[in-house]
Amino acid sequence: MKKKMRKFKIYRYDPEKDSKPYYREYSVETHEGMTLLDAIIHISENMDPSLSVRYSCRMSVCGSCGMSVNDSLKLACKTQLETLHGDVLKIEPLPSMKVIKDLVVDMEPFLDNLKKVKPYLITHTPDPAKERLQSVYDRELIDSSVDCILCGCCTTSCPVFWTDKGYLGPAAITKAFRFLYDSRDEGYEDRLHVLGGVGGVDKCHHAYRCVEACPKNINTTYAIDMVKKLILTGKRDTE
Ligand code: SF4
């Protein structure tokens, strides 16, 4: 197995102890197949137990380990070190979020925005005898957006969100798209005032950074445009 020494320059900040953030460099012997998260866990377990990082599943499902790597947002568990270039890898927390410690940020503003779009199936008509059916065509319309793991990489890469935390952001709007275009959902009116109001879809300026950042390859800008179209026409293209 090929081995290689790599340097990691990691953002450090403990608001309870440090007057300001700083960076600390670590040299790690890496090997083929090692992910960025593997390297950070190695540092935390063997070199510096004071380093804080949030993670859980290690397989791109829980969405906990989003972070900035050489100024691009990535999911650490999905990022093979071989794909990262440069003598020193600069690792930082998700941008524009309040740092709790080191690479761990406060996700509350992100989750608060998600709650505003009511990210669940809403129905007002009586339940059918058996189930609410969905055609293959209708399911395919929302196919990729269903994969969202709420890592926050899209929203925290958005320059509008950096300056305006009142903007819902691409993740919340993509989640709204997932339900608005679900042919079983009846929650258009329930979500309209949020999506079409201040902080809604009109704030998107098509910077496309969200699309680049998404580790699940979800076209968030397409989802935002589809929600805009729905608000303008009042129609969704389901069967
Ligand atoms: Fe993460 Fe992609 Fe979901 Fe945004 S759309 S929260 S980047 S998985």
Side-chain angles (χ1 to χ4, degrees), residues 118-169:
K118 301 183 191 286
Y120 41 81
L121 199 73
I122 298 174
T123 57
H124 298 298
T125 51
D127 288 340
K130 201 169 175 197
E131 60 187 316
R132 291 181 191 270
L133 286 173
Q134 188 178 40
S135 70
V136 171
Y137 172 87
D138 287 346
R139 177 60 178 75
E140 280 175 355
L141 263 182
I142 55 170
D143 209 26
S144 76
S145 60
V146 171
D147 292 342
C148 174
I149 53 172
L150 299 175
C151 65
C153 289
C154 57
T155 295
T156 59
S157 71
C158 172
V160 178
F161 185 75
W162 290 344
T163 54
D164 181 1
K165 292 288 179 289
Y167 171 45
L168 289 171

Side-chain angles (χ1 to χ4, degrees), residues 17-65:
K17 287 190 199 151
D18 304 320
S19 58
K20 58 179 184 182
Y22 63 98
Y23 290 85
R24 189 156 173 203
E25 228 174 81
Y26 306 88
S27 292
V28 176
E29 186 181 73
T30 65
H31 56 77
E32 233 175 326
M34 197 169 182
T35 65
L36 174 61
L37 183 63
D38 291 335
I40 293 172
I41 291 173
H42 175 84
I43 293 168
S44 151
E45 290 185 349
N46 302 291
M47 302 167 80
D48 185 349
S50 71
L51 175 63
S52 296
V53 59
R54 183 186 280 140
Y55 67 94
S56 180
C57 73
R58 308 187 197 198
M59 51 195 293
S60 327
V61 174
C62 73
S64 306
C65 64

Side-chain angles (χ1 to χ4, degrees), residues 83-99:
T83 64
L84 301 175
H85 304 293
D87 294 338
V88 181
L89 301 175
K90 186 175 65 161
I91 314 296
E92 296 168 302
L94 291 175
S96 87
M97 305 298 270
K98 184 179 158 205
V99 173

